[in-house]
Amino acid sequence: MRVRKKADLRIDIPSYPHDYVEMPPETKQLIHEANRTPNDIPYIDETSPKVHFQVGSPGISGQEYVFRTSTPEVKINTNDRDSVEKDTRSEQSSPVVLRNTLRKTSTSVPADLQDFESRIEANTNIPEHHQSTASGFSDGDNTQDETTALSDEEHAKTPLRSPRRKLPRRSRSEFSMDEDDYSPSNSVTSVNSLASLLKEKLQSIPQKMRKKPTDYKLRAFVLLMFLAVAFFIGFAYTLYRQKALTKAYFESVQFNNPKRLIRIFNRDDVEILRASLAREVKDKKKSFPCLQKHQRWDGSVCLEWEEDLRFYLKCLPHDPGLDNTTCYSVHWQALRHDISPTDCFDWGETKVHWYGGGQSANLTWPLDTGAIDYTPFITGDMQKHQFGNVLTRYFINSKGAAIIIDDETPLHVAVNNGKKEICIRAQYDNFAFANRLTDFAELKYNICTSLDMKSLHSSIHSHTRAPLWDGLKPADMQTLESLISEPVWQIAPRFKHELKAETISKYTEDVIDLGFLKLGHVLVNEFWQNEIGDFTVDSSRFEILNTTVDKLHRRGFKVAFTVQPFISTESGNFPETVQKRLLITERNGDRRIPALTRFKSVDSAGVLDVTDVRAQEWIQEKLQVVMDEYHIDSFYFDLGTAHDMPHYYSCERRLINPDQYKTAFVKAFEKTLSIIGVSSAVSLPRPPIFVSLPPFESSWEALRSVIPTMLTYGVNGYPFIMPGAVGGDIYWPGSEQFLPSAKGSLDMNLTNSTQENGIVLPDKELYMRWLQMATFLPVMKFTHLPSKYNDEKVLEMAKNLTLLRQKLITPLLLKYKREALEEGLPLIRPLWLVADGDASLMVQDEFAIGDEIVVAPVLYQNQTTREVYLPTGLWQDGIDGSLRKGNRWMHEYKVPTDRVAYFLRKPDDMRF
């Protein structure tokens, strides 16, 4: 059954012109009859009679109202105001959209059009749902009262709507009125007035306002999407700059061209080295492939920054089956004078620690805890200059990457200069690198990587292909073993007149009187000559030196004289060397005029030019006479440092830097003379030559500097190190206390009663702690004997330490001597060469002998406890014999004044 639908009280948007439906045939017939004129336009309808509207009929009197739509212009003629108002209401629901303004024209209206509405309402044959929108309608059962009409008030509240179409739209004329598409809201005969249309338009405004929050959400969502797209575009651009512009070379090397950033990874894809290259090129210039004439056809990558730098990168060949180390060659060529190639290696981002290079007053262990500005990488006195007496162009980090700089590079080094990085620079200057091998500075170095830090260090310093024992004579091996097992007795008075044959004889007698120390090497300083450079024994002070030396040999001592390459202007050899042109001369000067310098107590001296073969032969002859006449066993070369060279030096053979002089001096005589040690070095001398630590003053601060310096020299590739004297050196450069005066008198008032030959002895506690540490070092050197303190406690401790060294330490040092000759590993090692762990990387007051003994001496005054770190493993305490678990810190570990903390590695199953 048909049920009347309740009025839809929702506000709906009025129908659009395309939502009309076909008018019933009866209605169209009535309209057609009422408006029939000669110029009618028929409706398109196949089944109903033709009904015409007047469309723009010209020449008709009256007023003409024109309704503008997208359909043909329809004109309705009327002479009555009420009729116009009715027609306007009917147009509200029609498919014709009213124009904002009504245009009046002449028109005619049939007389019977005025009763048109009443006749339509009286027609009972029109169904209810085909009447105007003022009537009620339903799409249900037809049993309801179809003739019941809504009141005017209810009519105003009834919304205009179009029923849902169930059939697809058909292509038809704009005026076709199919019955299936009809709805009261779009009927041409709608009686809604223009006011009702405007009212419903106004009613729709609140609905649009209620939709604004939804619009804001949509806008916010669109804005969010826009920002996301912009972010991803920026991220993609950044990724492109960092990744896409980063090229991979040789599998493990990434190089970002615009930033000049190189990154190296190990086999586990862990970044082990990051470097910012070519810091001198400030702006981000684009590089270009090198021209063909600059290319190297050896697999090198060649790039050029126009008019600034040329860059070569190459992977060096190696055998992966034999060696896990891979090296890459980096070569920068400056293309003009004001460019100094500079590369900086970061440790802030990569979280690594750096070791090696050299020791400095401003650097500690590891290097990244100190800071220095750009300084020429040459040897010097740490009290006056930046670096110490031993240097190597080698740096290694804790993740297994190393830098090895070529000897020809005019190297300047900076550490922590504004950033957490080590920077190397190629730059010429007027002293250190005055001899230019190329027109513009060139920076050449290798980057080497391996599985870890220990394997890398062993690989770089390995001497498997050319072991250090190759070519050694039995006498050389005996000298090497004797230096490890026997002490060195350094007789080094501050003044020349204090050294006599009686002085040497009495000193050796005191050594014999001790009774518990082995006899070893008696080292006499340079005052065995009358003037530095005489190379003859001062007969006025050593009338019976032959007898004294023979006596020392009978007692079991070996005698060594100190030799220097400097010729004092007061020496009798100076005129001869000048005449024969055997001395270093001034650069760009007359070769007949020598270049002068100062060295220790000598105010003016020349330097032998050992790059000249004639100078080598001259000094060789002089020293051979001394050996033959006095039966001297060996020599110790005191070569000074780079800063002891004349400022404008010029040699027969051009040197890259002043440090190469000492290397040339040692190589000239290492095979013809017996040499036990050198005071300074930049390259590894041939065994049994030991490299000395720098002189240290007698202070607690100096004591704390011994271990970091010794560890640094060991990492630099010097396995055989000779430390300074126990308690500190009598003479050390830079100390006004020990500098001799012109009159040969003391520069200080001696108030301490504990003296020896006018020299104040070191503090007793300092001497004891220094002796405890020296017991575990490769060589024990004495200047002050423990008997000089007249203290039984000191003598008893010295006896116990001597016994410990003879029974335990010396056999271990001789054992690892073979490993040092074969693999280049140092006898005294840092803890990170013994065991893994981050804690071992920072320990600078402990050391290990091989991987079997860990030593932790007390280095502060009035302390009997200290912090001790034990590497992984099982260790036996050297003080009480207890077993200690490794890989941990021991806090407040007690160390009495007469004892030293050391731990001996034991097998893991010993605890059971």
Side-chain angles (χ1 to χ4, degrees):
M1 62 189 252
R2 257 182 112 168
V3 180
R4 180 184 298 271
K5 257 180 123 177
K6 293 183 180 180
D8 192 351
L9 301 180
R10 295 174 300 175
I11 299 176
D12 198 358
I13 300 175
S15 303
Y16 290 95
H18 61 269
D19 291 332
Y20 62 82
V21 295
E22 188 65 55
M23 185 182 295
E26 297 84 354
T27 305
K28 290 193 290 183
Q29 181 65 28
L30 292 175
I31 294 174
H32 175 68
E33 293 177 356
N35 294 282
R36 181 181 302 276
T37 60
N39 297 322
D40 288 344
I41 299 177
Y43 285 93
I44 301 175
D45 197 332
E46 297 178 355
T47 59
S48 60
K50 306 299 181 182
V51 180
H52 297 275
F53 282 123
Q54 180 183 6
V55 182
S57 302
I60 303 177
S61 61
Q63 293 181 344
E64 181 180 50
Y65 295 89
V66 181
F67 300 88
R68 299 282 185 180
T69 66
S70 59
T71 60
E73 195 173 275
V74 180
K75 301 178 183 180
I76 300 177
N77 297 324
T78 178
N79 290 321
D80 189 280
R81 183 179 183 88
D82 296 334
S83 177
V84 172
E85 190 174 353
K86 291 180 181 180
D87 292 341
T88 305
R89 287 198 303 268
S90 65
E91 289 296 327
Q92 179 177 342
S93 303
S94 69
V96 182
V97 180
L98 295 177
R99 191 174 174 85
N100 291 337
T101 59
L102 298 178
R103 187 176 53 179
K104 293 185 178 182
T105 58
S106 59
T107 182
S108 60
V109 182
D112 55 347
L113 185 60
Q114 297 179 0
D115 59 348
F116 172 63
E117 182 177 353
S118 61
R119 283 187 290 173
I120 292 178
E121 294 177 353
N123 192 349
T124 58
N125 295 328
I126 301 177
E128 177 185 351
H129 66 280
H130 283 172
Q131 295 181 10
S132 67
T133 55
S135 61
F137 65 93
S138 83
D139 51 359
D141 200 308
N142 293 331
T143 59
Q144 296 293 329
D145 187 5
E146 298 177 357
T147 62
T148 304
L150 298 175
S151 64
D152 292 341
E153 182 179 358
E154 293 174 339
H155 168 74
K157 296 180 181 180
T158 303
L160 302 176
R161 65 185 183 92
S162 298
R164 181 180 298 173
R165 298 189 182 95
K166 298 181 181 180
L167 296 176
R169 294 179 58 182
R170 296 189 300 270
S171 177
R172 52 185 172 81
S173 171
E174 199 164 345
F175 287 95
S176 62
M177 304 291 281
D178 293 340
E179 184 175 356
D180 294 338
D181 295 333
Y182 175 77
S183 70
S185 62
N186 56 28
S187 174
V188 176
T189 60
S190 174
V191 296
N192 289 335
S193 63
L194 182 60
S196 299
L197 178 60
L198 296 176
K199 182 178 180 180
E200 294 187 11
K201 288 284 187 181
L202 293 176
Q203 289 176 345
S204 66
I205 293 177
Q207 180 182 5
K208 294 180 179 179
M209 294 177 65
R210 286 194 298 271
K211 291 184 180 180
K212 282 186 178 181
T214 303
D215 294 340
Y216 288 145
K217 291 181 180 180
L218 179 60
R219 293 176 183 177
F221 175 75
V222 172
L223 179 61
L224 183 62
M225 292 300 295
F226 173 78
L227 295 177
V229 171
F231 170 77
F232 282 112
I233 292 176
F235 177 77
Y237 177 78
T238 303
L239 185 65
Y240 171 76
R241 298 289 296 180
Q242 294 182 352
K243 300 295 183 181
L245 293 182
T246 299
K247 293 185 178 181
Y249 299 101
F250 316 117
E251 297 182 357
S252 300
V253 180
Q254 293 184 1
F255 181 64
N256 186 292
N257 198 319
K259 294 183 177 181
R260 298 183 297 279
L261 178 68
I262 191 170
R263 303 172 67 189
I264 298 181
F265 300 82
N266 60 13
R267 295 182 180 180
D268 298 329
D269 291 332
V270 176
E271 184 181 12
I272 60 177
L273 184 140
R274 178 184 298 187
S276 177
L277 308 183
R279 282 285 182 86
E280 288 298 298
V281 182
K282 299 299 182 182
D283 53 349
K284 295 183 178 180
K285 285 188 176 182
K286 184 178 179 181
S287 65
F288 300 92
C290 297
L291 298 177
Q292 187 173 3
K293 63 180 181 179
H294 298 142
Q295 292 281 353
R296 296 177 181 174
W297 308 107
D298 57 355
S300 298
V301 177
C302 183
L303 300 174
E304 182 174 323
W305 282 261
E306 188 176 2
E307 299 181 355
D308 288 338
L309 289 166
R310 189 176 296 120
F311 172 69
Y312 295 95
L313 178 64
K314 177 185 176 182
C315 181
L316 301 179
H318 71 289
D319 188 353
L322 300 177
D323 191 359
N324 293 319
T325 302
T326 303
C327 294
Y328 308 93
S329 173
V330 178
H331 185 187
W332 287 100
Q333 292 180 346
L335 302 181
R336 63 173 193 259
H337 288 285
D338 59 339
I339 292 293
S340 299
T342 304
D343 293 351
C344 295
F345 301 87
D346 167 81
W347 66 65
E349 296 292 334
T350 52
K351 307 298 182 183
V352 298
H353 299 288
W354 285 92
Y355 307 87
Q359 195 65 11
S360 172
N362 297 332
L363 298 180
T364 57
W365 176 275
L367 293 177
D368 46 85
T369 57
I372 60 174
D373 200 355
Y374 284 102
T375 305
F377 196 68
I378 55 176
T379 59
D381 174 14
M382 285 194 297
Q383 303 295 331
K384 300 177 181 179
H385 311 106
Q386 190 62 70
F387 293 103
N389 64 319
V390 176
L391 296 178
T392 302
R393 299 185 171 203
Y394 164 77
F395 300 91
I396 185 171
N397 72 20
S398 55
K399 287 190 176 181
I403 309 166
I404 306 172
I405 299 98
D406 189 80
D407 290 336
E408 296 183 354
T409 298
L411 180 62
H412 290 65
V413 175
V415 179
N416 272 349
N417 188 24
K419 295 183 179 180
K420 295 181 178 181
E421 57 191 11
I422 292 179
C423 296
I424 57 176
R425 172 181 292 175
Q427 183 177 358
Y428 291 120
D429 57 20
N430 293 326
F431 169 62
F433 305 104
N435 296 326
R436 301 172 180 246
L437 302 181
T438 56
D439 293 334
F440 309 119
E442 296 187 6
L443 177 62
K444 294 187 289 185
Y445 61 92
N446 293 340
I447 299 175
C448 296
T449 64
S450 189
L451 299 177
D452 52 41
M453 189 180 186
K454 292 188 292 184
S455 60
L456 175 64
H457 181 77
S458 301
S459 173
I460 291 176
H461 295 290
S462 175
H463 301 282
T464 304
R465 297 181 180 178
L468 297 179
W469 52 260
D470 186 20
L472 292 185
K473 300 176 182 179
D476 296 330
M477 294 297 293
Q478 292 176 3
T479 302
L480 181 62
E481 293 178 359
S482 66
L483 286 169
I484 294 176
S485 58
E486 299 173 354
V488 173
W489 309 101
Q490 184 178 18
I491 303 177
R494 295 172 299 163
F495 307 110
K496 180 173 57 177
H497 67 271
E498 295 177 352
L499 182 61
K500 299 178 182 180
E502 294 80 4
T503 306
I504 299 175
S505 179
K506 184 178 184 304
Y507 188 93
T508 55
E509 288 177 359
D510 292 339
V511 172
I512 295 174
D513 291 341
L514 287 174
F516 55 84
L517 285 172
K518 283 187 176 183
L519 309 180
H521 299 262
V522 176
L523 177 59
V524 182
N525 71 353
E526 64 273 11
F527 291 146
W528 60 272
Q529 310 165 90
N530 182 36
E531 295 291 344
I532 302 298
D534 286 347
F535 300 114
T536 57
V537 176
D538 184 3
S539 59
S540 63
R541 291 182 289 117
F542 297 98
E543 296 178 357
I544 55 173
L545 184 60
N546 280 332
T547 305
T548 304
V549 173
D550 290 341
K551 183 188 298 185
L552 294 178
H553 284 163
R554 288 194 303 269
R555 292 177 175 178
F557 290 99
K558 303 176 184 66
V559 180
F561 279 179
T562 300
V563 174
Q564 296 148 331
F566 301 91
I567 310 295
S568 172
T569 55
E570 303 294 329
S571 171
N573 289 329
F574 184 78
E576 180 185 355
T577 53
V578 172
Q579 183 181 4
K580 293 181 179 180
R581 300 182 184 179
L582 302 179
L583 301 179
I584 293 176
T585 59
E586 292 281 351
R587 190 182 312 121
N588 301 324
D590 193 337
R591 291 288 299 171
R592 295 171 297 180
I593 301 176
L596 301 181
T597 184
R598 298 184 62 181
F599 179 71
K600 288 188 175 180
S601 60
V602 181
D603 294 331
S604 176
V607 184
L608 280 172
D609 186 1
V610 292
T611 63
D612 189 343
V613 178
R614 297 182 300 115
Q616 296 179 13
E617 295 174 350
W618 182 85
I619 190 174
Q620 174 74 35
E621 181 181 353
K622 296 286 185 180
L623 295 178
Q624 191 64 45
V625 171
V626 173
M627 294 181 66
D628 295 340
E629 183 176 355
Y630 296 97
H631 307 289
I632 303 302
D633 297 286
S634 57
F635 293 98
Y636 175 86
F637 285 174
D638 187 3
L639 305 176
T641 65
H643 291 277
D644 293 319
M645 291 283 287
H647 190 80
Y648 298 101
Y649 64 93
S650 176
C651 300
E652 181 71 19
R653 176 169 55 88
R654 187 168 61 171
L655 302 178
I656 299 174
N657 60 69
D659 277 327
Q660 286 192 323
Y661 174 83
K662 57 178 62 69
T663 301
F665 195 95
V666 173
K667 289 187 177 298
F669 307 107
E670 63 183 5
K671 293 183 179 181
T672 58
L673 298 176
S674 177
I675 307 170
I676 63 172
V678 293
S679 64
S680 181
V682 293
S683 62
L684 179 62
R686 178 177 175 269
I689 301 175
F690 277 68
V691 176
S692 295
L693 294 182
F696 289 107
E697 62 175 322
S698 181
S699 67
W700 288 96
E701 183 180 0
L703 175 62
R704 290 189 290 271
S705 302
V706 173
I707 295 179
T709 305
M710 182 173 52
L711 295 178
T712 300
Y713 291 2
V715 169
N716 284 347
Y718 300 96
F720 304 109
I721 300 173
M722 181 182 295
V726 174
D729 295 285
I730 294 178
Y731 173 83
W732 51 280
S735 174
E736 299 297 332
Q737 178 183 357
F738 295 110
L739 284 179
S741 65
K743 298 180 181 180
S745 60
L746 299 178
D747 294 336
M748 58 172 295
N749 295 324
L750 301 177
T751 58
N752 194 320
S753 59
T754 308
Q755 300 175 5
E756 180 185 10
N757 296 327
I759 300 175
V760 179
L761 292 176
D763 177 74
K764 184 171 64 174
E765 183 185 358
L766 174 64
Y767 183 87
M768 296 174 67
R769 292 302 190 187
W770 207 308
L771 179 59
Q772 293 169 3
M773 178 187 66
T775 302
F776 298 87
L777 301 183
V779 176
M780 292 191 70
K781 183 189 288 187
F782 288 92
T783 295
H784 305 289
L785 300 180
S787 58
K788 298 302 180 181
Y789 286 91
N790 298 321
D791 191 324
E792 289 296 330
K793 185 177 181 180
V794 176
L795 283 176
E796 184 65 25
M797 184 197 70
K799 291 179 182 179
N800 295 332
L801 291 176
T802 301
L803 184 62
L804 174 65
R805 181 176 179 88
Q806 292 174 355
K807 288 186 175 181
L808 179 63
I809 308 305
T810 300
L812 280 177
L813 291 172
L814 293 176
K815 171 186 175 181
Y816 287 103
K817 173 207 67 175
R818 302 181 60 182
E819 190 173 318
L821 292 173
E822 182 72 27
E823 302 180 11
L825 293 175
L827 301 179
I828 303 301
R829 303 177 183 178
L831 295 190
W832 51 259
L833 273 179
V834 178
D836 298 329
D838 293 338
S840 62
L841 299 173
M842 301 297 294
V843 177
Q844 61 176 332
D845 57 357
E846 300 179 33
F847 60 90
I849 300 177
D851 58 355
E852 296 189 37
I853 291 183
V854 171
V855 185
V858 174
L859 305 176
Y860 289 87
Q861 188 176 12
N862 300 326
Q863 284 195 0
T864 56
T865 61
R866 62 155 295 162
E867 305 291 309
V868 176
Y869 176 77
L870 282 181
T872 304
L874 183 65
W875 302 89
Q876 185 176 18
D877 195 318
I879 294 179
D880 58 13
S882 61
L883 296 180
R884 302 283 186 174
K885 179 181 179 296
N887 194 24
R888 67 186 179 101
W889 283 94
M890 294 190 298
H891 305 287
E892 298 295 327
Y893 180 80
K894 294 184 179 181
V895 186
T897 307
D898 59 342
R899 304 298 296 271
V900 57
Y902 71 95
F903 304 86
L904 183 64
R905 184 187 291 275
K906 292 296 181 179
D908 291 339
D909 58 352
M910 184 177 178
R911 61 183 180 273
F912 300 109

